């Protein structure tokens, strides 16, 4: 009996487009996961793929993607607890996958978010898929925390669990392949802008937590990082580059993944 394969797709903003390239390479090699767990952008890509959307179509959708297609400025950011609104992102995702629940998906999927009230990571695997994906992607300060079920304030999953390998392992995966599109923390020049300073704070904290988790996790069979250099995850200018690097990553490790499934 073939081992069950799980993909843990990590957070990473626009760098997460590399996940699409990786999935395209996997498809071409005849490798399809039984389970997917995602965080932030990894949740969006993973959820859309689990809903049956091909990597080719996802690639076409992100080629000309602009910030105005997924977010708009919030006229009252302090009162609404976020600089931007996610209504456009929700509308775009609904046009791609429709109003699906987790039970409607073709591949078993879950995503992680951060419960700001309890200070812990939570796994979302029931209810509306788009609401869960957006909660997992709600960058603090940029987007308001989401309310889902018993959780009053859910924010970006990458805050505490950038690459949700444990989550996909608990779903039943025998082999866990983790794809981290952020990799090691890159040095940046100061910009003097408040929002950039805040986002940098998140990156530093996130990078340290991920390093510690990677060193002690036993649930990961293969940890992969695409070569994305200094690509800025908060800008949409290099999405084609990210796709190609993710595709190259998948092609380079397809044989290794197949061996893990067979032994």
């Amino acid at each position: 009996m073939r081992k069950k394969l799980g993909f843990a797709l990590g957070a990473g903003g626009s760098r997460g487009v590399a996940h699409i390239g990786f999935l395209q390479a996997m498809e071409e090699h005849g490798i399809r996961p039984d389970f997917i767990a995602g965080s932030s952008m990894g949740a969006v890509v993973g959820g859309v793929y689990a809903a049956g959307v091909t990597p080719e179509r996802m690639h076409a959708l992100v080629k000309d993607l602009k910030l105005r297609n997924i977010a708009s400025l919030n006229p009252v950011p302090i009162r609404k607890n976020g600089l931007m609104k996610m209504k456009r992102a929700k509308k775009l995702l609904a046009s791609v996958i429709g109003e699906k629940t987790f039970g409607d998906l073709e591949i078993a999927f879950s995503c992680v978010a951060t419960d700001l009230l309890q200070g812990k990571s939570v796994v979302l695997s029931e209810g509306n898929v788009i609401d869960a994906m957006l909660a997992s992607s709600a960058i603090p300060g940029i987007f308001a925390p989401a309310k889902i079920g018993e959780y009053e304030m859910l924010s970006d999953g990458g805050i505490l669990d950038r690459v949700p390998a444990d989550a996909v392992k608990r779903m039943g995966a025998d082999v866990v392949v983790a794809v981290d599109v952020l990799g090691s923390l890159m040095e940046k020049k100061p910009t003097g802008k408040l929002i950039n300073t805040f986002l940098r704070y998140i990156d530093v904290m996130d990078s340290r937590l991920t390093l510690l988790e990677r060193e002690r996790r036993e649930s990961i069979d293969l940890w992969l990082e695409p070569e994305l250099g200094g690509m800025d995850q908060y800008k949409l200018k290099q999405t084609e580059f990210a796709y190609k690097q993710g595709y190259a990553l998948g092609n380079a490790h397809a044989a290794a993944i197949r061996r893990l499934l067979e032994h």
Side-chain angles (χ1 to χ4, degrees):
M1 182 180 294
R2 185 182 74 84
K3 294 180 179 178
K4 299 291 186 179
L5 174 62
F7 287 160
L9 305 183
S14 61
R15 291 169 69 104
V17 173
H19 291 312
I20 302 175
F22 175 77
L23 291 172
Q24 177 64 48
M26 292 294 97
E27 290 257 324
E28 293 177 7
H29 285 276
I31 299 172
R32 189 170 173 84
D34 301 283
F35 309 98
I36 300 175
S39 179
S40 200
M41 186 59 174
V44 174
V45 173
V48 172
Y49 182 65
V53 180
T54 65
E56 291 98 329
R57 188 179 178 204
M58 284 192 278
H59 182 206
L61 287 168
V62 301
K63 272 186 175 181
D64 299 314
L65 194 64
K66 301 291 190 296
L67 180 60
R68 65 176 177 270
N69 301 134
I70 56 178
S72 58
L73 286 174
N74 197 329
V76 284
I78 296 178
R79 183 156 59 88
K80 294 295 185 180
N81 210 3
L83 292 175
M84 309 192 85
K85 297 184 290 186
M86 275 187 161
K87 287 184 178 179
R88 292 180 181 176
K90 186 170 184 176
K91 183 178 180 180
L92 176 62
L93 287 169
S95 71
V96 176
I97 70 170
E99 292 295 332
K100 284 184 167 60
T101 66
F102 282 85
D104 297 325
L105 301 178
E106 296 182 6
I107 299 173
F109 170 70
S110 68
C111 60
V112 296
T114 302
D115 182 349
L116 295 181
L117 295 182
Q118 299 186 60
K120 67 178 185 179
S121 179
V122 298
V123 178
L124 303 174
S125 58
E126 296 179 347
N128 185 281
V129 176
I130 293 177
D131 288 345
M133 290 191 292
L134 293 179
S136 180
S137 309
I139 302 170
I142 306 299
F143 300 108
K147 179 180 179 180
I148 296 180
E150 65 184 281
Y151 302 108
E152 297 288 335
M153 293 186 71
L154 291 178
S155 198
D156 198 301
I159 298 172
L160 293 178
D161 196 359
R162 186 165 96 194
V163 186
D166 288 344
V168 80
K169 184 71 173 181
R170 289 194 295 269
M171 293 173 74
D174 301 307
V175 174
V176 174
V177 176
V179 184
D180 180 15
V181 298
L182 287 176
S184 301
L185 186 70
M186 302 289 292
E187 184 175 347
K188 281 189 175 181
K189 295 181 180 179
T191 64
K193 295 181 180 179
L194 176 61
I195 188 61
N196 288 338
T197 300
F198 180 70
L199 292 174
R200 182 61 174 175
Y201 161 75
I202 294 175
D203 290 346
V204 170
M205 178 182 67
D206 166 52
S207 180
R208 181 61 177 170
L209 285 172
T210 302
L211 177 62
L212 292 173
E213 285 295 307
R214 179 184 173 184
E215 289 176 348
R216 67 170 180 258
R217 279 184 180 173
E218 298 180 356
S219 60
I220 302 169
D221 295 284
L222 187 62
W223 182 282
L224 303 178
E225 297 179 8
E227 297 288 339
L228 296 175
M231 178 181 173
D232 191 334
Q233 66 166 314
Y234 302 112
K235 296 180 180 179
L236 293 169
K237 294 180 179 180
Q238 293 182 281
T239 54
E240 185 62 19
F241 167 71
Y243 173 85
K244 290 179 178 178
Q245 295 303 98
Y247 182 73
L249 181 77
N251 282 325
H253 292 91
I257 295 172
R258 196 177 297 282
R259 284 194 298 270
L260 286 169
L261 294 172
E262 295 171 350
H263 297 91

